[in-house]
Amino acid sequence: MALKKITIAIDGHSSTGKSTMAKALARRIGYAYVDTGAMYRAVTLYALRNKLIKGETVDEKALKEHLKRGDIMITFRPTKEGKSVTVLNGKNVERYIRSMRVSNVVSIIAAIGFVRKAMVKQQQAMGKDKGVVMDGRDIGTVVFPDAEMKVFATASAEVRAQRRFDELRAKGDTTTTFEEVLENVTERDRIDSTRKESPLRQAEDAMVLDNSHMTIEEQNEWLYNLYLSRVRS
């Protein structure tokens, strides 16, 4: 008997490895994967490149016009290695959207109501036929409140900062300090949780995954077993 197709929503704090776990699960079960956080990072990168952000102030009127005109087209492209990269207006921007320059202002962009509405519309279109794994901040609460499987990923701020710091070092960033990364993580938590538009919160029917002390293998098995319980119920 063929397993039914479901929608999988993985929400949670920044740097909990949501994208990594969502990608691994999608690959294992043959589902499409959508990294919604990358979409907000791509909008942020576009705004920075087009000088629509000065300090922490966004030219919202101009950004709204760019979105309305369809100037910000975001898609995902699979690589030969089976990974997924973020494509902004036809160009692979995966490397640039993970920079601290983008990390420092992405929460400000993601808190803007019309940006969230535009991204949610794109996300709902991507997942309308089910068989999708989507991760972000508001997938189980706003984008797909009826998702059959909801996960809320978390870990201590220090553990998350260390992971992000190690990632930056691996990518050749030798100037950003651990303290700067920890400050960025805690500030993003504050902005994400207190913003007016779609704040980060755990859906009532979400399963909490605290991976502070879990290996990637343990985490992946936890998710896969939860998936099996949902498609067989």
Side-chain angles (χ1 to χ4, degrees):
M1 187 178 76
L3 294 172
K4 65 182 179 184
K5 269 191 180 181
I6 64 170
T7 299
I8 300 173
I10 301 179
D11 293 309
H13 294 105
S14 66
S15 302
T16 47
K18 294 187 303 295
S19 299
T20 303
M21 67 176 81
K23 283 175 189 171
L25 181 62
R27 263 199 313 272
R28 187 169 183 178
I29 64 179
Y31 275 23
Y33 164 70
V34 177
D35 179 353
T36 64
M39 294 174 75
Y40 290 103
R41 284 176 172 273
V43 175
T44 304
L45 180 66
Y46 180 92
L48 285 166
R49 286 179 170 177
N50 288 274
K51 298 182 169 51
L52 304 180
I53 303 176
K54 288 191 177 107
E56 293 191 352
T57 305
V58 180
D59 186 341
E60 293 192 21
K61 188 180 176 185
L63 181 57
K64 195 172 193 176
E65 277 303 309
H66 283 264
L67 278 167
K68 199 185 284 185
R69 287 200 305 261
D71 294 344
I72 309 174
M73 300 302 295
I74 304 160
T75 54
F76 295 93
R77 183 187 299 158
T79 65
K80 289 175 185 174
E81 296 79 30
K83 294 181 179 178
S84 174
V85 295
T86 311
V87 176
L88 172 62
N89 297 331
K91 294 200 170 131
N92 178 355
V93 293
E94 192 65 33
R95 177 183 161 201
Y96 305 105
I97 64 171
R98 307 294 172 188
S99 67
M100 281 302 291
R101 181 179 176 227
V102 169
S103 293
N104 285 333
V105 285
V106 64
S107 288
I108 297 166
I109 289 287
I112 299 171
F114 65 80
V115 173
R116 296 206 72 82
K117 283 186 175 69
M119 294 301 105
V120 166
K121 195 174 177 183
Q122 286 191 35
Q123 290 153 16
Q124 288 173 333
M126 290 175 187
K128 67 179 177 12
D129 297 323
K130 297 188 180 284
V132 67
V133 181
M134 208 172 279
D135 74 276
R137 300 287 193 282
D138 60 352
I139 311 305
T141 54
V142 175
V143 185
F144 290 111
D146 297 326
E148 294 88 346
M149 175 173 158
K150 297 181 188 178
V151 175
F152 189 85
T154 189
S156 72
E158 288 75 18
V159 165
R160 289 184 284 132
Q162 188 62 54
R163 288 173 183 163
R164 182 86 180 113
F165 179 73
D166 293 342
E167 190 180 275
L168 288 169
R169 282 289 183 271
K171 288 179 178 174
D173 182 341
T174 57
T175 55
T176 305
T177 66
F178 173 78
E179 287 70 27
E180 286 173 324
V181 178
L182 179 59
E183 187 182 344
N184 173 255
V185 164
T186 51
E187 179 63 5
R188 285 184 67 189
D189 284 352
R190 186 191 68 77
I191 295 172
D192 290 344
S193 302
T194 59
R195 69 183 177 217
K196 184 181 173 187
E197 200 74 34
S198 301
L200 168 67
R201 62 184 175 83
Q202 180 191 329
E204 285 181 12
D205 52 348
M207 296 288 288
V208 176
L209 171 59
D210 187 332
N211 63 10
S212 296
H213 306 292
M214 289 175 89
T215 65
I216 289 174
E217 290 74 21
E218 288 169 340
Q219 170 184 278
N220 290 346
E221 283 307 306
W222 187 95
L223 285 163
Y224 183 63
N225 288 328
L226 181 61
Y227 158 74
L228 289 178
S229 72
R230 293 293 187 267
V231 293
R232 287 171 176 166
S233 61

